[in-house]
Amino acid sequence: MHNLCDEPTVTPEEIERLTVDEDLSDIERAVYLLSAGQDVQGTSVIANLPFLMRQNPAETLRRVLPKVREVLHVAGVEMQLTAAVSFLTILQEESVSVHTYAHSFLQVILLHLDHRDTGVSNAWLETLLSVIEVLPKETLRHEILNPLVSKAQLSQTVQSRLVSCKILGKLTNKFDAHTIKREILPLVKSLCQDVEYEVRSCMCRQLENIAQGIGTELTKSVVLPELIELSRDEGSSVRLAAFETLVNLLDVFDTDDRSQTILPLVKSFCEKSFKADESILISLSFHLGKLCHGLYGIFTPDQHLRFLEFYKKLCTLGLQQENGHNENQIPPQILEQEKKYISVRKNCAYNFPAMIVFVDPKNFHLELYSTFFCLCHDPEVPVRYTIAICFYEVSKLLNSGVYLIHKELITLLQDESLEVLDALIDHLPEILELMSTGGESSVQENKLSSLPDLIPALTAAEQRAAASLKWRTHEKLLQKYACLPHIISSDQIYYRFLQRMFTIMMTNNVLPVQKAASRTLCIFLRYNRKQEQRHEVIQKLIEQLGQGKSYWNRLRFLDTCEFIIEIFSKSFFCKYFFLPAIELTHDPVANVRMKLCYLLPKVKSTLKIPADKHLLQQLEMCVRKLLCQEKDKDVLAIVKRTVLELDRMEMSMDAFQKKFYEKDLLDQEKEREELLLMEMEQLEKEKQQNDGRPVSDKTFEKKRRDTKTPTTLPKSIPISVPGPSGTSTPSTSKEIKKSKLIRSQSFNNQAFHAKYGNLDKCASKSSTAGYTSSVSGLGKTSVISLPDDSFRTRNASSTPTSFPSNPSLPSTSRGTGNSVDPKSSGSKDTQPRKATLKSRKSNP
């Protein structure tokens, strides 16, 4: 049991001291707490200073800021850091003018730059550097530059001189070249020759900013000599700073300076690097790419070769020293050295594309392939991860020589580390596209002949990702697999990937992964070249997902329907998925009905009037039945909102309409490509019968381009839509308005139950009762079956685990008025939701 005696006691005096009058205004409370409060209260006030400046800047500057100045003189580290951040925030939010800010805050910032705590001093320095960006020249000259002359003297502390170096680097871009030469450069030279190596190194790193401010001539005459001298400094950190600054300034110098001055320095630096500290090797390996670019064309053949050999040596640095000892037996200094060697090889992998340019892609196989092989097989994950990131760039550079790195692609796909796989698949579609088209053979039929291990590697990579806990990598991989129809054949996808997508959708527990598999499966289906296979996939989607026992599968079916609406033509969705989708309005699980309600506007958007009038009527009756019979209040609320949205929707017509021009044009293109796939299948069968050769993808692409929808609409497009049986557009529009009116009237809460009372009674009396609606404009009366589960058909004995050879698919042909067999009796919870939607003929 918790002992109450352990609780810290608060005396009445402490409570009284920490209590603040609630009637005080924000300004008065801030002044009081800064004057008489505790340190934590004062820190809170300073942290709230930007808010006070936004609310009442005048009073804050007049009453609060003077108190802040007083408190900061004796403030601790936490309050100082808080003040530096608050002052910077006020500047960034522009709560006051620049002039007012300089007058009120600048002196406080400058005063605390020399704080004895390095962290506090650096925090105030960061604030000052941001302030310098906005201050006018005169203020900079009088308040910052002039005092800097004394602060940069040797008599000042090392911290003061380090601060002066960084301020000088920032000030250079604010003044003209004459002022810089006369007032700033003497200080720069003095600090470059400081007795402390830390100051020399800091000033050296600012020379890049100074060179950008003074121009090319002064850089060559003033900055370059300083860099040359610093590159020979006794301190390794100074030499390193000089080297990195020279690399960053390569573009500033002309060819003569690069060849006569910089190249010898680089050569000397590289030769001495192995004898120096490993940190120099890390920096050198990181900047190799810039060096190759900046010195390109200057190397003699011998220098070119030596530099390349130096790079190759860095790529294998530390590998020769590996042994079988346990890490616990290796001295700590050796482990630290190995970590630095790993960083060197990682930097070499990062710079590998630049080295390909350096040696010319034509010479890759001779000069760099063995190095690339070593980097792809490096024992350390960071190295392989980096080369995997660069793999796409390497592929682009090699172009027609990309076939040379086929094996390395397979190696990285099979890498034991998922981090490496994750890095590789970011550009996997582009890499595979280059592999399939950029090799020696440009014939599409033979695009995988040189890469036989690709499909096993892809499937193994997916299985490794699925077995791990890194579901985001798995999701990304499945999304990238959508490129496969452009890479490998339709049969290979069908037999090696499609079933796996189904399995993931049915068994995986991660929703984003399931959705990624669903979308990829839809794309596989979109580009499948065999009608029989397409029908099998469609039937399996309907039977195992749409009519599955698990409500989770039925939810995934609705996700799949959404992807099909996005990827396929409207006619495809209406033909195969419209009825199975709206059948779920009778689902026993509220979540399924709710998800369907959200999808209904997209479902309705696939209909075209007047051809799909019968589907529109069935959709409307499903919605009416939901309004009548829905008992779940959340679902009913969504149904009502959905009905309002459906009423506002404008229907697409069979003919082009100007307002739907782009969507109709895109849909027509999708439909043409779907028809083309069937034509190509027939052509392929005839071709195989004649000479046994399949139709190439090139033939398909050519035929697709030949039949592509024109991008411009002819001027004489009829806007009126002829309907069947002499139906004209006015009558069709009239009917749509009538149906909208009926649904809108259903929202009268008082008449709602009375309006549909008879409909409910009729539906409950008999499972085969009919609802007769007179459709104006069609010249006849349609009798539409409306049982308790009006669009569900007879249950089959069991759900097949494999596809039948000739499956019967649900098919809804446009322009036909059909009905569906009622569902036989059975419990929704125990019976599988399996139904074969037959061709919709009227029941006798």
Side-chain angles (χ1 to χ4, degrees):
M1 183 176 178
H2 184 63
N3 188 358
L4 295 178
C5 296
D6 294 337
E7 290 287 342
T9 58
V10 181
T11 63
E13 292 78 9
E14 289 176 319
I15 295 176
E16 179 67 25
R17 191 168 63 251
L18 295 172
T19 302
V20 180
D21 188 355
E22 294 182 358
D23 295 331
L24 294 177
S25 66
D26 290 340
I27 298 294
E28 291 170 340
R29 186 183 298 110
V31 172
Y32 173 77
L33 291 175
L34 287 170
S35 302
Q38 303 294 306
D39 284 347
V40 65
Q41 292 174 314
T43 302
S44 175
V45 171
I46 293 175
N48 200 40
L49 201 58
F51 172 77
L52 295 176
M53 288 295 297
R54 289 193 299 270
Q55 296 297 107
N56 194 342
E59 284 298 299
T60 303
L61 292 175
R62 188 175 68 86
R63 300 182 59 187
V64 179
L65 193 59
K67 290 292 182 182
V68 171
R69 292 196 194 101
E70 293 177 11
V71 171
L72 286 178
H73 281 295
V74 292
V77 171
E78 185 178 357
M79 189 179 291
Q80 287 276 354
L81 294 174
T82 303
V85 174
S86 292
F87 280 27
L88 180 58
T89 304
I90 293 169
L91 174 73
Q92 294 169 341
E93 292 181 352
E94 300 179 354
S95 303
V96 291
S97 66
V98 173
H99 176 75
T100 303
Y101 187 93
H103 177 74
S104 305
F105 294 93
L106 183 57
Q107 288 303 319
V108 182
I109 297 171
L110 293 171
L111 181 64
H112 297 283
L113 277 177
D114 296 326
H115 197 278
R116 62 183 179 276
D117 186 276
T118 305
V120 172
S121 176
N122 289 333
W124 284 113
L125 176 62
E126 290 301 317
T127 302
L128 178 62
L129 295 179
S130 298
V131 173
I132 288 174
E133 290 286 348
V134 299
L135 290 180
K137 287 183 180 180
E138 287 305 312
T139 304
L140 289 173
R141 182 188 297 276
H142 292 100
E143 301 292 341
I144 298 176
L145 182 56
N146 291 342
L148 206 60
V149 176
S150 61
K151 289 183 175 292
Q153 300 301 316
L154 285 174
S155 57
Q156 299 293 321
T157 63
V158 172
Q159 180 63 26
S160 176
R161 304 203 300 275
L162 289 172
V163 168
S164 299
C165 293
K166 295 178 180 179
I167 293 175
L168 284 172
K170 199 73 172 180
L171 284 175
T172 309
N173 295 323
K174 304 298 292 185
F175 293 99
D176 56 87
H178 178 71
T179 303
I180 295 172
K181 185 177 180 179
R182 188 185 64 202
E183 300 185 32
I184 294 180
L185 287 183
L187 291 176
V188 170
K189 289 182 178 182
S190 172
L191 291 168
C192 282
Q193 298 168 8
D194 196 276
V195 295
E196 297 292 337
Y197 74 92
E198 297 162 298
V199 179
R200 298 196 302 273
S201 175
C202 182
M203 191 65 253
C204 183
R205 294 193 179 277
Q206 298 302 318
L207 290 179
E208 181 182 352
N209 293 330
I210 292 171
Q212 293 172 356
I214 62 179
T216 305
E217 293 302 321
L218 278 177
T219 299
K220 292 172 63 176
S221 61
V222 178
V223 175
L224 185 56
E226 293 295 334
L227 282 173
I228 293 171
E229 185 175 348
L230 290 169
S231 66
R232 304 185 181 115
D233 196 276
E234 59 184 11
S236 61
S237 62
V238 181
R239 295 197 303 271
L240 181 60
F243 169 75
E244 292 179 354
T245 304
L246 276 171
V247 173
N248 292 332
L249 290 176
L250 278 174
D251 293 337
V252 177
F253 303 118
D254 56 28
T255 305
D256 291 339
D257 290 328
R258 279 184 264 180
S259 60
Q260 296 173 13
T261 306
I262 298 176
L263 183 57
L265 288 175
V266 171
K267 181 182 175 183
S268 173
F269 194 81
C270 293
E271 290 173 349
K272 296 177 181 178
S273 59
F274 283 100
K275 301 176 185 177
D277 189 279
E278 285 82 6
S279 59
I280 292 180
L281 280 176
I282 293 174
S283 175
L284 179 58
S285 62
F286 181 76
H287 289 90
L288 277 175
K290 285 185 179 180
L291 274 176
C292 292
H293 175 73
L295 299 177
Y296 189 79
I298 295 176
F299 288 111
T300 64
D302 181 60
Q303 290 171 336
H304 188 281
L305 181 61
R306 292 176 64 181
F307 193 79
L308 181 60
E309 291 302 320
F310 175 76
Y311 170 75
K312 291 179 181 180
K313 188 175 180 181
L314 290 180
C315 287
T316 57
L317 186 65
L319 296 181
Q320 300 86 351
Q321 301 175 6
E322 287 197 354
N323 49 46
H325 294 304
N326 191 316
E327 283 191 4
N328 297 328
Q329 301 174 353
I330 302 176
Q333 61 269 23
I334 301 298
L335 283 175
E336 189 64 28
Q337 185 185 56
E338 287 184 357
K339 289 180 181 178
K340 292 181 179 180
Y341 288 162
I342 292 170
S343 298
V344 170
R345 300 200 304 272
K346 177 183 174 182
N347 290 339
C348 289
Y350 168 77
N351 283 296
F352 193 84
M355 296 308 297
I356 293 179
V357 176
F358 183 69
V359 302
D360 195 307
K362 295 184 298 183
N363 300 320
F364 169 79
H365 187 263
L366 182 64
E367 301 286 358
L368 282 176
Y369 175 74
S370 59
T371 303
F372 187 67
F373 178 88
C374 290
L375 291 172
C376 290
H377 291 81
D378 194 278
E380 300 298 332
V381 171
V383 181
R384 303 197 305 275
Y385 172 84
T386 307
I387 201 66
I389 291 176
C390 298
F391 199 94
Y392 175 51
E393 290 297 325
V394 172
S395 302
K396 283 196 301 183
L397 289 169
L398 293 180
N399 196 10
S400 61
V402 71
Y403 67 92
L404 294 169
I405 58 173
H406 281 178
K407 292 181 180 178
E408 283 63 44
L409 173 64
I410 303 302
T411 298
L412 293 176
L413 280 173
Q414 296 174 337
D415 196 281
E416 61 185 12
S417 170
L418 279 181
E419 293 178 14
V420 176
L421 178 63
D422 189 85
L424 182 68
I425 62 179
D426 280 333
H427 291 285
L428 185 62
E430 295 88 347
I431 293 170
L432 293 178
E433 183 70 21
L434 288 168
M435 291 285 181
S436 64
T437 60
E440 288 181 316
S441 174
S442 60
V443 181
Q444 292 288 320
E445 291 89 335
N446 299 325
K447 57 189 174 183
L448 279 181
S449 60
S450 59
L451 199 55
D453 297 331
L454 174 63
I455 293 178
L458 289 173
T459 54
E462 187 277 322
Q463 289 169 1
R464 278 202 324 281
S468 73
L469 296 177
K470 296 183 178 181
W471 64 263
R472 287 181 177 84
T473 298
H474 193 200
E475 177 195 15
K476 188 197 298 186
L477 186 61
L478 293 175
Q479 290 169 346
K480 300 300 181 181
Y481 277 5
C483 74
L484 291 180
H486 305 291
I487 308 299
I488 59 180
S489 70
S490 176
D491 280 342
Q492 287 170 320
I493 290 174
Y494 180 78
Y495 290 111
R496 300 301 298 271
F497 294 96
L498 251 171
Q499 181 56 45
R500 180 59 183 165
M501 295 301 112
F502 267 115
T503 302
I504 294 169
M505 291 170 65
M506 299 283 289
T507 62
N508 197 281
N509 295 323
V510 181
L511 179 58
V513 172
Q514 287 183 312
K515 287 189 173 184
S518 174
R519 193 178 195 283
T520 299
L521 184 143
C522 290
I523 293 175
F524 289 167
L525 178 62
R526 172 73 174 79
Y527 291 101
N528 189 281
R529 300 270 299 269
K530 293 187 177 179
Q531 187 173 0
E532 182 180 352
Q533 292 177 357
R534 289 197 299 272
H535 284 185
E536 289 176 356
V537 174
I538 292 168
Q539 179 152 338
K540 195 169 185 180
L541 281 171
I542 295 170
E543 290 179 353
Q544 296 193 15
L545 291 181
Q547 298 157 359
K549 290 183 180 180
S550 168
Y551 86 99
W552 190 254
N553 288 343
R554 302 197 294 276
L555 287 173
R556 300 294 73 77
F557 175 74
L558 292 175
D559 289 330
T560 306
C561 286
E562 191 168 0
F563 293 136
I564 288 171
I565 292 172
E566 172 195 347
I567 295 167
F568 289 83
S569 66
K570 295 178 180 179
S571 61
F572 182 92
F573 177 82
C574 289
K575 183 177 181 180
Y576 296 113
F577 292 94
F578 186 91
L579 290 179
I582 64 173
E583 181 192 1
L584 293 178
T585 54
H586 313 290
D587 196 278
V589 178
N591 282 6
V592 178
R593 302 194 301 275
M594 186 182 298
K595 189 174 184 68
L596 176 63
C597 289
Y598 284 122
L599 186 62
L600 284 179
K602 290 185 178 181
V603 171
K604 184 178 178 181
S605 70
T606 64
L607 300 177
K608 290 184 179 180
I609 299 300
D612 296 324
K613 187 177 298 297
H614 61 293
L615 296 180
L616 177 62
Q617 292 167 354
Q618 295 188 27
L619 174 64
E620 289 174 349
M621 280 192 292
C622 283
V623 175
R624 290 181 196 177
K625 192 167 184 182
L626 277 174
L627 283 170
C628 296
Q629 299 179 354
E630 184 56 59
K631 297 179 181 179
D632 188 285
K633 61 179 182 180
D634 295 324
V635 178
L636 185 59
I638 295 170
V639 171
K640 292 181 179 181
R641 291 202 300 269
T642 302
V643 169
L644 289 175
E645 186 176 351
L646 292 173
D647 283 342
R648 290 193 295 266
M649 287 181 64
E650 295 189 46
M651 295 295 297
S652 178
M653 302 297 180
D654 279 339
F656 275 113
Q657 293 175 283
K658 290 182 179 179
K659 64 178 70 177
F660 300 121
Y661 173 74
E662 291 184 4
K663 292 182 180 179
D664 287 346
L665 198 64
L666 180 61
D667 183 67
Q668 188 183 72
E669 176 64 19
K670 290 179 182 178
E671 193 167 348
R672 288 194 180 204
E673 289 189 4
E674 290 161 7
L675 293 173
L676 178 60
L677 281 171
M678 291 187 283
E679 293 177 12
M680 292 300 297
E681 181 184 9
Q682 185 62 33
L683 185 63
E684 192 169 299
K685 288 179 180 178
E686 295 174 0
K687 188 84 172 175
Q688 287 175 341
Q689 289 174 359
N690 293 334
D691 53 15
R693 288 185 302 174
V695 177
S696 69
D697 290 341
K698 282 186 173 180
T699 307
F700 171 74
E701 286 298 321
K702 182 177 184 301
K703 190 169 181 65
R704 187 183 69 80
R705 288 194 300 269
D706 292 342
T707 59
K708 186 173 286 189
T709 306
T711 56
T712 57
L713 194 67
K715 293 182 180 178
S716 58
I717 288 184
I719 302 301
S720 61
V721 182
S725 305
T727 305
S728 61
T729 303
S731 62
T732 303
S733 303
K734 196 173 178 182
E735 181 188 342
I736 295 171
K737 290 179 181 178
K738 180 180 177 182
S739 64
K740 287 185 178 181
L741 179 61
I742 292 172
R743 290 198 305 276
S744 299
Q745 288 173 345
S746 67
F747 283 101
N748 187 326
N749 292 330
Q750 297 178 354
F752 178 76
H753 296 289
K755 181 174 180 65
Y756 290 97
N758 294 333
L759 180 63
D760 292 340
K761 291 176 182 177
C762 293
S764 60
K765 283 179 182 178
S766 173
S767 63
T768 58
Y771 174 73
T772 305
S773 64
S774 178
V775 182
S776 61
L778 294 179
K780 59 181 179 180
T781 301
S782 298
V783 180
I784 301 175
S785 174
L786 185 63
D788 184 49
D789 294 320
S790 56
F791 298 110
R792 299 179 58 192
T793 55
R794 300 181 188 276
N795 278 326
S797 57
S798 63
T799 302
T801 57
S802 61
F803 296 142
S805 58
N806 292 307
S808 59
L809 281 174
S811 177
T812 309
S813 302
R814 294 187 183 273
T816 59
N818 305 323
S819 62
V820 182
D821 293 338
K823 176 185 177 298
S824 59
S825 61
S827 170
K828 292 179 181 178
D829 298 330
T830 59
Q831 295 290 334
R833 295 179 56 83
K834 177 183 179 303
T836 303
L837 297 177
K838 302 177 181 178
S839 60
R840 303 174 52 237
K841 298 180 181 179
S842 300
N843 292 329

